[in-house]
Amino acid sequence: MIKNPDWWRGAVIYQVYPRSFYDSNGDGIGDLPGVTAKLDYIASLNVDAIWLSPFFTSPMKDFGYDVSDYRNVDPIFGTLEDFDELIAEAHKRNLKIMIDQVLSHSSDQHPWFVESRSSRKNPKADWYVWADPKPDGTPPNNWLAVFGGSAWAWDSRRKQYYLHNFLTSQPDLNFHNPDVQEQILSDVKFWLDRGVDGFRLDAINFCFHDPKLRNNPASKAIAEGSIGVRKENPYAYQLHKFDKTQPENIEFLKRLRTLLDQYPGTTTVGEIGDDNSLQTMADYTSGGDKLHMAYSFDLLTEHHGAEFFYKTVSTIESKLTDGWPCWAIGNHDVARVATRWNARSEQQLKAYMAMLLTLRGSVCIYQGEELGLTEAELHYDDLMDPYGINFWPEYKGRDGCRTPMVWHHKESHAGFSDARPWLPVYDDHYNAAVAVQHAEDNSVLAAYRAFLGWRKDQPILLKGDIEFSKSPKNTLVYTRSLNGQTVMVALNLSKNTVTIPMPGAGTPEPETPDFVGGQWHGKNLTLGPWGVDIARL
């Protein structure tokens, strides 16, 4: 019997990018035994779960997001036995394990695609999205790939184009084929039977396409945030009306949820990159019969500040109704938040952390975020990410947030590996290493540990409702309410001291970390630069 099947509500999920976490065998690449070796560290953060980025068998053209075997571990990461040990050791420490599932596409080296492309008449001929060229030989329509260029690649064997929303080596599966859906659900079940506690679903709104292959319309305003691309990418020039987020996706998510419901205590969090991402989040998480929770790219862009945060959070709250959000301000696809939001002090980073951890919803924290790591500056010759190589120099890709975790400032390669790492350790990161911050009472790491430990015992923050109040410029004030009790959160997101008028003086919440707390003068609250206060009303 699962003690708390709804553990995911309000949970904090720590994202591990295995390639860059810890190398246990000296080949310069992090692996699953390396994650197991660092479980005590993860547990010390007081998080609830670990999200593992892909470790499946893959040619690594997109570093694991191009899967060639959905039921095995790539040898660079270890073995299935290593994965089983990781689950067992994590569960001993009361840590859940969630794994990345890439359902919308596979690698072009997957046996399914090898068979599908071999002819127009084979058992898997319709497992991928194939289309004839236009009479002049050009692609079937104007759809674009996220990583640049047409979303269609020519295959000389079938004399047809196949759809790829990302790299040409990542062909899209045809979810309109019932056999494909059955196979994908079977692969998900494989990992549920192995004991995983949930799934992060990559690009989950990409599963279905418009079967009529209609052209996407142009976008009136070049957008970036909600679809997860930058403005120099022509992908942002279209409204993605027909290449993703199709109505059929809803029915598939219901089938997926039915499977998950057979394994009490398991959960899903979907990644949503869409023109109307907040509405899609609401659609995909409402009703209790689809995704458990979802996140978008809206807090993963360079946009920030009190007004932007208020608009984003209040908009999704107005749309979600009974749905559940999962908030993230950093991950393996975007520049590190310390750089992206121009954090110039540890207090500023702590303010962003306090906001993230007091919003209604669950939370994802990306490895190194708890150290306040900045975006690594890499030379072109160091780049591994095909996205960055393609769009250099305006966009340097995702390698800058994927450099190795820094464990010890006095060890070679910061204690990540005995060998030269697959990406270089960034020189500026050594002083932020775990060993350095562990010894400092006021470090960013210490703040994360303390705040997360305190938050675990605050049901009002885990599951309470949220309501925003009017407040001065560059500040956020909101309340969290549960079972007749109310807590106020006030954030000064500026470098200036501010005084915020309050309807009534608050009573400081007990045992909050040292960086939390302002000065109350009657019904006025004064917060220093990047100050935070949490009080019971």
Side-chain angles (χ1 to χ4, degrees):
M1 188 73 176
I2 302 296
K3 290 183 179 179
N4 179 20
D6 285 343
W7 64 267
W8 51 271
R9 287 190 184 271
V12 177
I13 304 163
Y14 184 77
Q15 182 192 356
V16 169
Y17 193 71
R19 292 183 71 92
S20 298
F21 199 60
Y22 182 65
D23 171 21
S24 72
N25 61 1
D27 65 356
I29 299 173
D31 44 49
L32 294 182
V35 180
T36 303
K38 295 296 186 180
L39 284 175
D40 286 341
Y41 168 76
I42 298 174
S44 78
L45 299 175
N46 297 306
V47 299
D48 302 288
I50 298 169
W51 149 24
L52 289 172
S53 289
F55 51 82
F56 312 110
T57 309
S58 166
M60 299 295 162
K61 298 290 181 63
D62 191 25
F63 300 101
Y65 286 90
D66 49 328
V67 180
S68 57
D69 184 348
Y70 283 95
R71 299 192 181 197
N72 214 337
V73 176
D74 194 277
I76 66 170
F77 294 126
T79 64
L80 276 171
E81 289 71 28
D82 291 329
F83 179 77
D84 292 340
E85 182 180 3
L86 171 55
I87 284 193
E89 291 299 318
H91 287 171
K92 287 179 184 178
R93 294 162 174 80
N94 295 317
L95 289 169
K96 309 287 188 182
I97 293 290
M98 301 176 67
I99 64 174
D100 228 318
Q101 287 286 283
V102 188
L103 305 186
S104 70
H105 58 264
S106 75
S107 164
D108 62 354
Q109 296 183 31
H110 197 294
W112 303 341
F113 188 71
V114 172
E115 182 175 356
S116 185
R117 79 188 316 179
S118 67
S119 70
R120 297 194 185 192
K121 293 182 180 180
N122 64 74
K124 291 186 172 55
D126 194 36
W127 275 46
Y128 292 82
V129 184
W130 294 97
D132 291 328
K134 289 181 179 179
D136 62 358
T138 55
N141 60 29
N142 71 346
W143 297 353
L144 296 173
V146 174
F147 291 166
S150 172
W152 296 96
W154 178 254
D155 185 82
S156 59
R157 299 164 186 82
R158 291 182 48 144
K159 296 182 176 60
Q160 285 183 305
Y161 284 96
Y162 66 84
L163 179 67
H164 62 92
N165 276 298
F166 298 92
L167 295 175
T168 57
S169 57
Q170 294 170 300
D172 273 62
L173 285 155
N174 179 19
F175 272 72
H176 291 285
N177 183 332
D179 292 339
V180 170
Q181 293 189 39
E182 290 297 330
Q183 180 63 54
I184 290 297
L185 292 172
S186 175
D187 290 336
V188 170
K189 185 177 186 300
F190 172 85
W191 294 104
L192 288 168
D193 289 337
R194 219 160 188 103
V196 303
D197 302 290
F199 303 93
R200 181 265 188 183
L201 300 169
D202 183 70
I204 191 58
N205 57 312
F206 282 79
C207 291
F208 285 84
H209 66 285
D210 172 38
K212 295 181 180 179
L213 303 182
R214 286 172 283 190
N215 283 330
N216 281 330
S219 178
K220 293 180 180 179
I222 298 175
E224 55 168 326
S226 58
I227 59 175
V229 299
R230 294 169 59 89
K231 290 183 178 180
E232 62 268 14
N233 187 342
Y235 189 83
Y237 296 10
Q238 291 184 353
L239 283 175
H240 294 273
K241 185 176 181 179
F242 296 114
D243 52 350
K244 59 184 178 181
T245 323
Q246 299 303 292
E248 296 91 339
N249 221 43
I250 296 286
E251 293 307 312
F252 173 73
L253 293 180
K254 289 180 179 179
R255 295 191 66 192
L256 182 64
R257 179 60 175 264
T258 298
L259 173 60
L260 268 289
D261 286 346
Q262 297 172 26
Y263 297 80
T266 59
T267 192
T268 53
V269 54
E271 176 198 45
I272 308 296
D274 191 43
D275 295 310
N276 193 359
S277 59
L278 300 184
Q279 183 61 54
T280 303
M281 283 177 66
D283 294 341
Y284 282 15
T285 61
S286 64
D289 61 350
K290 295 176 282 293
L291 297 178
H292 296 77
M293 48 189 168
Y295 74 87
S296 74
F297 287 85
D298 290 82
L299 293 185
L300 295 172
T301 69
E302 295 174 357
H303 299 297
H304 62 289
E307 183 177 353
F308 174 75
F309 298 146
Y310 165 75
K311 181 179 179 181
T312 301
V313 177
S314 59
T315 298
I316 193 170
E317 287 292 339
S318 68
K319 293 179 179 293
L320 270 182
T321 60
D322 62 341
W324 191 257
C326 184
W327 298 106
I329 60 175
N331 69 17
H332 64 292
D333 281 334
V334 297
R336 286 197 174 274
V337 68
T339 298
R340 208 173 67 248
W341 289 356
N342 302 316
R344 302 185 182 279
S345 68
E346 291 188 349
Q347 189 64 26
Q348 187 173 350
L349 289 170
K350 293 173 186 178
Y352 290 145
M353 176 199 69
M355 179 193 72
L356 178 68
L357 295 174
T358 55
L359 295 175
R360 187 184 81 97
S362 304
V363 173
C364 286
I365 295 172
Y366 179 49
Q367 67 183 47
E369 203 169 298
E370 77 278 14
L371 304 178
L373 296 187
T374 55
E375 180 78 351
E377 290 291 333
L378 301 175
H379 298 293
Y380 179 79
D381 291 343
D382 291 324
L383 294 188
M384 302 291 288
D385 182 14
Y387 200 178
I389 293 169
N390 199 19
F391 283 97
W392 179 276
E394 287 301 312
Y395 175 53
K396 299 178 181 179
R398 301 164 296 179
D399 291 326
C401 67
R402 298 177 176 183
T403 54
M405 186 75 171
V406 282
W407 296 103
H408 204 290
H409 56 301
K410 292 184 179 180
E411 295 181 9
S412 62
H413 310 301
F416 164 73
S417 176
D418 294 332
R420 180 183 178 183
W422 73 286
L423 282 175
V425 176
Y426 187 40
D427 287 345
D428 288 0
H429 287 175
Y430 279 88
N431 290 334
V434 171
V436 174
Q437 297 201 36
H438 181 72
E440 297 177 353
D441 292 339
N442 296 318
S443 66
V444 175
L445 174 60
Y448 266 86
R449 282 174 167 161
F451 200 95
L452 284 165
W454 171 78
R455 181 182 180 275
K456 269 183 176 289
D457 297 323
Q458 308 300 318
I460 201 167
L461 292 181
L462 301 181
K463 297 185 178 181
D465 295 332
I466 189 170
E467 183 176 349
F468 284 88
S469 303
K470 290 184 178 180
S471 64
K473 185 178 180 181
N474 297 325
T475 67
L476 279 178
V477 175
Y478 46 93
T479 56
R480 300 293 310 277
S481 301
L482 182 70
N483 298 330
Q485 295 186 324
T486 300
V487 164
M488 180 276 306
V489 178
L491 301 163
N492 174 17
L493 299 180
S494 77
K495 60 183 179 181
N496 303 312
T497 297
V498 297
T499 297
I500 305 173
M502 293 291 181
T507 303
E509 277 292 277
E511 300 179 15
T512 54
D514 291 342
F515 74 91
V516 174
Q519 297 293 320
W520 286 87
H521 304 283
K523 295 185 177 182
N524 293 316
L525 171 64
T526 299
L527 291 175
W530 305 102
V532 178
D533 194 81
I534 300 174
R536 191 168 294 275
L537 299 181

